[in-house]
Coordinates of all heavy atoms in Angstrom, one line a residue:
P1 N 12.7 -86.7 -95.9 CA 13.0 -86.6 -97.4 C 14.4 -86.1 -97.7 O 14.9 -86.3 -98.8 CB 11.9 -85.6 -97.9 CG 10.8 -85.7 -96.9 CD 11.5 -85.8 -95.6
Y2 N 15.0 -85.4 -96.7 CA 16.3 -84.7 -97.0 C 17.5 -85.5 -96.5 O 18.6 -85.1 -96.7 CB 16.3 -83.3 -96.3 CG 15.1 -82.5 -96.8 CD1 13.9 -82.4 -96.0 CD2 15.2 -81.8 -98.0 CE1 12.9 -81.6 -96.5 CE2 14.1 -81.0 -98.5 CZ 13.0 -81.0 -97.7 OH 11.9 -80.2 -98.2
A3 N 17.2 -86.6 -95.8 CA 18.3 -87.5 -95.4 C 18.4 -88.7 -96.3 O 17.4 -89.3 -96.7 CB 18.0 -88.0 -94.0
D4 N 19.7 -88.9 -96.8 CA 19.9 -90.0 -97.7 C 20.0 -91.3 -97.0 O 19.7 -92.4 -97.6 CB 21.2 -89.8 -98.5 CG 21.1 -88.5 -99.4 OD1 20.5 -88.6 -100.4 OD2 21.6 -87.5 -98.9
A5 N 20.3 -91.3 -95.7 CA 20.4 -92.5 -94.9 C 19.9 -92.1 -93.5 O 20.3 -91.0 -93.0 CB 21.7 -93.1 -94.8
I6 N 19.2 -93.0 -92.8 CA 18.7 -92.7 -91.5 C 19.0 -94.0 -90.6 O 18.6 -95.1 -91.0 CB 17.2 -92.4 -91.4 CG1 16.9 -91.1 -92.3 CG2 16.7 -92.1 -90.0 CD1 15.4 -90.8 -92.4
L7 N 19.6 -93.8 -89.5 CA 19.8 -94.9 -88.5 C 19.3 -94.5 -87.2 O 19.5 -93.4 -86.7 CB 21.3 -95.2 -88.4 CG 22.1 -95.6 -89.7 CD1 22.9 -94.4 -90.2 CD2 23.0 -96.7 -89.4
M8 N 18.5 -95.5 -86.6 CA 18.0 -95.3 -85.2 C 19.1 -95.9 -84.3 O 19.3 -97.1 -84.3 CB 16.7 -96.0 -85.0 CG 16.1 -95.8 -83.6 SD 15.6 -94.1 -83.4 CE 15.5 -94.0 -81.6
T9 N 19.8 -95.0 -83.6 CA 20.9 -95.5 -82.7 C 20.6 -95.5 -81.3 O 21.4 -95.9 -80.5 CB 22.1 -94.6 -82.9 OG1 21.8 -93.3 -82.4 CG2 22.5 -94.4 -84.4
W10 N 19.3 -95.2 -80.8 CA 19.0 -95.2 -79.4 C 20.0 -94.5 -78.6 O 20.6 -93.5 -79.0 CB 18.8 -96.7 -79.0 CG 18.1 -97.6 -79.9 CD1 18.6 -98.5 -80.8 CD2 16.7 -97.7 -80.2 NE1 17.7 -99.1 -81.6 CE2 16.5 -98.6 -81.2 CE3 15.6 -97.0 -79.6 CZ2 15.2 -99.0 -81.7 CZ3 14.3 -97.4 -80.1 CH2 14.1 -98.3 -81.1
W11 N 20.3 -95.1 -77.4 CA 21.5 -94.7 -76.6 C 22.2 -96.0 -76.4 O 21.7 -96.9 -75.8 CB 21.1 -94.0 -75.3 CG 20.5 -92.7 -75.5 CD1 21.0 -91.6 -76.1 CD2 19.2 -92.3 -75.0 NE1 20.1 -90.6 -76.1 CE2 19.0 -91.0 -75.4 CE3 18.2 -93.0 -74.3 CZ2 17.8 -90.3 -75.1 CZ3 17.0 -92.3 -74.0 CH2 16.8 -90.9 -74.4
L12 N 23.5 -96.0 -76.8 CA 24.2 -97.3 -77.0 C 25.2 -97.6 -75.8 O 25.8 -98.7 -75.8 CB 24.9 -97.3 -78.3 CG 24.0 -97.3 -79.5 CD1 24.8 -97.2 -80.8 CD2 23.0 -98.4 -79.6
G13 N 25.4 -96.7 -74.9 CA 26.2 -97.0 -73.7 C 27.7 -96.6 -73.9 O 28.0 -95.8 -74.7
S14 N 28.5 -97.4 -73.2 CA 29.9 -97.0 -73.0 C 30.6 -97.0 -74.4 O 31.6 -96.2 -74.6 CB 30.6 -98.1 -72.1 OG 30.0 -98.1 -70.8
E15 N 30.3 -97.9 -75.3 CA 31.0 -98.0 -76.6 C 30.2 -97.4 -77.7 O 30.4 -97.8 -78.9 CB 31.3 -99.5 -76.8 CG 32.4 -100.1 -76.0 CD 33.8 -99.6 -76.4 OE1 34.0 -99.5 -77.6 OE2 34.6 -99.3 -75.5
A16 N 29.3 -96.5 -77.4 CA 28.4 -95.9 -78.4 C 29.1 -95.5 -79.7 O 28.7 -95.9 -80.8 CB 27.6 -94.8 -77.8
G17 N 30.1 -94.7 -79.6 CA 30.8 -94.2 -80.7 C 31.4 -95.2 -81.6 O 31.3 -95.2 -82.9
N18 N 32.0 -96.2 -81.0 CA 32.6 -97.3 -81.8 C 31.5 -98.2 -82.5 O 31.7 -98.6 -83.6 CB 33.5 -98.2 -80.9 CG 34.8 -97.6 -80.5 OD1 35.3 -96.8 -81.2 ND2 35.3 -97.9 -79.3
S19 N 30.4 -98.4 -81.8 CA 29.3 -99.1 -82.4 C 28.8 -98.4 -83.6 O 28.5 -99.0 -84.7 CB 28.2 -99.3 -81.4 OG 28.6 -100.1 -80.3
V20 N 28.6 -97.1 -83.5 CA 28.0 -96.3 -84.6 C 29.0 -96.3 -85.8 O 28.7 -96.5 -86.9 CB 27.7 -94.9 -84.2 CG1 27.4 -94.0 -85.4 CG2 26.6 -94.9 -83.2
A21 N 30.3 -96.2 -85.4 CA 31.4 -96.2 -86.5 C 31.4 -97.5 -87.2 O 31.6 -97.6 -88.4 CB 32.7 -95.8 -85.9
D22 N 31.3 -98.6 -86.5 CA 31.3 -99.9 -87.1 C 30.2 -100.1 -88.1 O 30.4 -100.7 -89.1 CB 31.2 -101.0 -86.0 CG 32.5 -101.2 -85.2 OD1 33.5 -100.6 -85.6 OD2 32.5 -101.8 -84.1
I23 N 29.0 -99.5 -87.8 CA 27.9 -99.6 -88.8 C 28.2 -98.7 -90.0 O 28.0 -99.1 -91.1 CB 26.6 -99.2 -88.1 CG1 26.2 -100.2 -87.1 CG2 25.5 -98.9 -89.1 CD1 25.7 -101.5 -87.6
L24 N 28.6 -97.4 -89.7 CA 28.8 -96.5 -90.8 C 29.9 -96.9 -91.8 O 29.7 -96.7 -93.0 CB 29.2 -95.1 -90.2 CG 28.1 -94.4 -89.4 CD1 28.7 -93.1 -88.8 CD2 26.9 -94.0 -90.3
T25 N 30.9 -97.6 -91.3 CA 32.0 -98.0 -92.2 C 31.8 -99.4 -92.8 O 32.6 -99.8 -93.6 CB 33.3 -98.0 -91.4 OG1 33.2 -98.9 -90.3 CG2 33.6 -96.6 -90.9
G26 N 30.7 -100.1 -92.3 CA 30.5 -101.4 -92.8 C 31.3 -102.5 -92.1 O 31.2 -103.7 -92.6
K27 N 32.0 -102.2 -91.1 CA 32.6 -103.2 -90.3 C 31.6 -104.2 -89.8 O 31.9 -105.4 -89.7 CB 33.5 -102.6 -89.2 CG 34.2 -103.6 -88.4 CD 35.1 -103.0 -87.3 CE 35.9 -104.0 -86.5 NZ 36.7 -103.4 -85.5
Y28 N 30.4 -103.7 -89.4 CA 29.3 -104.5 -89.0 C 28.1 -104.1 -89.9 O 27.7 -103.0 -90.0 CB 28.9 -104.3 -87.6 CG 27.9 -105.3 -87.1 CD1 28.3 -106.5 -86.5 CD2 26.5 -105.1 -87.3 CE1 27.3 -107.5 -86.2 CE2 25.6 -106.0 -86.9 CZ 26.0 -107.2 -86.3 OH 25.0 -108.1 -86.0
N29 N 27.6 -105.1 -90.6 CA 26.4 -104.9 -91.5 C 25.2 -104.8 -90.6 O 24.9 -105.7 -89.9 CB 26.3 -106.0 -92.5 CG 25.3 -105.8 -93.6 OD1 24.5 -104.9 -93.5 ND2 25.2 -106.7 -94.5
P30 N 24.4 -103.6 -90.7 CA 23.3 -103.5 -89.8 C 22.3 -104.6 -89.9 O 22.0 -105.1 -90.9 CB 22.7 -102.2 -90.2 CG 23.3 -101.9 -91.5 CD 24.6 -102.5 -91.6
S31 N 21.9 -105.1 -88.7 CA 20.9 -106.2 -88.6 C 19.8 -106.0 -87.7 O 18.9 -106.8 -87.5 CB 21.7 -107.5 -88.2 OG 22.3 -107.3 -86.9
G32 N 19.7 -104.8 -87.1 CA 18.7 -104.5 -86.1 C 17.3 -104.3 -86.7 O 17.2 -104.0 -87.9
K33 N 16.3 -104.6 -85.9 CA 14.9 -104.5 -86.4 C 14.1 -103.8 -85.3 O 14.5 -103.8 -84.1 CB 14.3 -105.9 -86.5 CG 15.0 -106.8 -87.5 CD 14.7 -106.4 -89.0 CE 15.4 -107.5 -89.9 NZ 15.1 -107.1 -91.3
L34 N 13.1 -103.0 -85.7 CA 12.4 -102.2 -84.7 C 11.5 -103.1 -83.9 O 10.6 -103.9 -84.4 CB 11.5 -101.2 -85.5 CG 12.2 -100.1 -86.2 CD1 11.1 -99.2 -86.9 CD2 13.1 -99.3 -85.3
P35 N 11.6 -103.1 -82.5 CA 10.7 -103.8 -81.6 C 9.5 -103.1 -81.3 O 8.7 -103.5 -80.5 CB 11.6 -104.0 -80.4 CG 12.5 -102.8 -80.4 CD 12.7 -102.4 -81.8
V36 N 9.4 -101.9 -81.9 CA 8.2 -101.0 -81.7 C 7.8 -100.4 -83.0 O 8.7 -100.2 -83.9 CB 8.4 -99.9 -80.6 CG1 8.4 -100.4 -79.2 CG2 9.8 -99.3 -80.9
T37 N 6.6 -100.0 -83.2 CA 6.1 -99.3 -84.3 C 6.4 -97.8 -84.2 O 6.2 -97.2 -83.1 CB 4.6 -99.5 -84.5 OG1 4.3 -100.9 -84.6 CG2 4.1 -98.8 -85.7
F38 N 6.9 -97.2 -85.3 CA 7.1 -95.7 -85.3 C 6.0 -95.1 -86.0 O 5.7 -95.3 -87.1 CB 8.4 -95.4 -86.0 CG 9.7 -95.5 -85.2 CD1 9.9 -96.6 -84.3 CD2 10.6 -94.5 -85.2 CE1 11.0 -96.7 -83.6 CE2 11.8 -94.6 -84.4 CZ 12.0 -95.7 -83.6
P39 N 5.2 -94.2 -85.3 CA 4.1 -93.5 -85.9 C 4.5 -92.4 -86.8 O 5.6 -91.9 -86.7 CB 3.3 -93.0 -84.7 CG 4.4 -92.7 -83.7 CD 5.4 -93.8 -83.9
K40 N 3.6 -92.0 -87.7 CA 3.8 -90.9 -88.6 C 3.4 -89.6 -87.8 O 4.1 -88.5 -88.0 CB 3.0 -91.0 -89.9 CG 3.5 -91.8 -90.9 CD 2.6 -91.8 -92.2 CE 3.2 -92.6 -93.3 NZ 4.4 -92.0 -93.9
Q41 N 2.4 -89.7 -87.0 CA 1.9 -88.6 -86.2 C 1.6 -89.0 -84.8 O 1.2 -90.2 -84.6 CB 0.6 -88.0 -86.9 CG 0.8 -87.5 -88.3 CD 1.7 -86.2 -88.4 OE1 1.9 -85.5 -87.4 NE2 2.1 -85.9 -89.6
V42 N 1.8 -88.1 -83.8 CA 1.5 -88.5 -82.5 C 0.0 -88.9 -82.2 O -0.3 -89.7 -81.4 CB 1.9 -87.4 -81.5 CG1 1.0 -86.2 -81.6 CG2 2.0 -87.9 -80.1
G43 N -0.9 -88.4 -83.1 CA -2.3 -88.7 -83.0 C -2.6 -90.1 -83.2 O -3.7 -90.6 -83.0
Q44 N -1.7 -90.9 -83.8 CA -1.9 -92.3 -84.1 C -1.6 -93.1 -82.8 O -2.0 -94.3 -82.8 CB -0.9 -92.8 -85.2 CG -1.2 -92.2 -86.6 CD -0.1 -92.7 -87.6 OE1 1.0 -92.6 -87.3 NE2 -0.6 -93.1 -88.7
C45 N -1.0 -92.6 -81.8 CA -0.7 -93.3 -80.6 C -1.9 -93.6 -79.8 O -2.8 -92.7 -79.6 CB 0.3 -92.5 -79.7 SG 1.9 -92.3 -80.5

């Protein structure tokens, strides 16, 4: 509730910082989709 924007960045490798910056600045419009479901609680797993 306290974050105005949330990005799942995983671990992006050698160019991680540039990739994140490209998203934050809009150089690349985010297009990623979750290949896994994110639970609300670990008890749902």
Side-chain angles (χ1 to χ4, degrees):
Y2 304 97
D4 297 284
I6 301 175
L7 300 103
M8 186 67 200
T9 68
W10 318 100
W11 293 304
L12 298 177
S14 302
E15 288 284 320
N18 286 332
S19 299
V20 172
D22 287 345
I23 291 288
L24 292 175
T25 61
K27 182 177 180 179
Y28 188 92
N29 189 349
S31 59
K33 303 285 185 179
L34 292 179
V36 281
T37 301
F38 275 47
K40 280 183 177 291
Q41 301 290 344
V42 70
Q44 293 176 313
C45 295

